[in-house]
């Protein structure tokens, strides 16, 4: 089972980092990889949403929010090309009104793609780094502009 773990330091308080990074409907403004984001429904802490990426691929995921320290998500439909794809975002307050945002992604490809997992892991790690950097810049621009 491939696991990707990556952290980024954000020059913003943990509450701000959590709140802004979980504005799923605004992800296309924050993360260039996403062309469209649509909130489908909310069930308490659980948010169902559809993402469409730059390649035109679309899928439904759900996300559970535990402010200000944890968000957990799973890809739901279609799950393919994965057998499963689970993401945990952990937020930690740091001195100086900064925060650390750590993403843990655990996934497994479907049986017919299992031999490609290492390549997928490398590409997904690159996307994770780019997405975290884009979020960091977006959040910091809001804090600086306030």
């Amino acid at each position: 089972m491939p696991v990707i773990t990556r952290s980024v330091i954000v020059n913003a308080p943990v509450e701000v980092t959590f709140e802004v990074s979980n504005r799923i409907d605004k992800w296309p403004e924050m993360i260039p990889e996403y062309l469209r984001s649509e909130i489908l429904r909310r069930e308490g802490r659980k948010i169902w949403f559809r993402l469409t990426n730059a390649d035109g691929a679309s899928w439904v995921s759900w996300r559970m929010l535990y402010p200000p320290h944890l968000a957990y998500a799973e890809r739901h439909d279609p799950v393919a090309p994965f057998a499963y794809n689970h993401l945990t975002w952990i937020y930690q307050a740091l001195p100086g009104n900064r925060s650390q945002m750590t993403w843990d992604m655990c996934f497994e490809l479907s049986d017919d793609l299992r031999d490609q997992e290492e390549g997928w892991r490398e590409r997904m790690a690159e996307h994770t780094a780019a997405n975290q950097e884009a979020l960091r810049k977006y959040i910091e621009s809001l804090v600086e502009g306030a």
Side-chain angles (χ1 to χ4, degrees), residues 4 6 103 105 123-133:
I4 298 165
R6 186 171 191 292
W103 296 358
M105 182 184 312
R123 283 190 304 281
M124 290 169 73
E126 289 173 12
H127 284 259
T128 296
N131 292 347
Q132 280 186 331
E133 184 61 17

Side-chain angles (χ1 to χ4, degrees), residues 2 7 25 29-30 34-36 41 47 49 53 56 64 69 72 77 80 98 105 117 119-120 141:
S7 296
D25 57 329
E29 296 173 27
M30 299 183 221
Y34 298 128
L35 293 180
R36 190 161 180 248
R41 69 181 181 272
I47 302 169
F49 58 97
N53 69 13
M64 294 286 291
H69 297 292
Y72 176 80
D77 183 38
R98 297 178 314 137
M105 182 184 312
E117 277 185 346
W120 276 76
S141 74

Side-chain angles (χ1 to χ4, degrees), residues 9-89:
I9 304 297
V10 182
N11 290 316
V14 69
E15 294 82 7
V16 172
T17 299
F18 182 93
E19 194 273 324
V20 173
S21 67
N22 283 290
R23 293 178 185 168
I24 297 166
D25 57 329
K26 301 287 187 190
W27 280 357
E29 296 173 27
M30 299 183 221
I31 304 171
E33 178 177 341
Y34 298 128
L35 293 180
R36 190 161 180 248
S37 176
E38 174 188 6
I39 302 296
L40 302 174
R41 69 181 181 272
R42 296 177 189 268
E43 301 169 353
R45 296 178 184 266
K46 192 173 194 176
I47 302 169
W48 291 85
F49 58 97
R50 178 182 312 281
L51 288 176
T52 303
N53 69 13
D55 296 331
S58 182
W59 64 93
V60 172
S61 293
W62 57 262
R63 188 170 188 86
M64 294 286 291
L65 302 179
Y66 300 94
H69 297 292
L70 179 71
Y72 176 80
E74 289 187 16
R75 185 167 168 151
H76 179 69
D77 183 38
V79 176
F82 302 97
Y84 65 86
N85 186 349
H86 304 174
L87 298 98
T88 304
W89 291 15

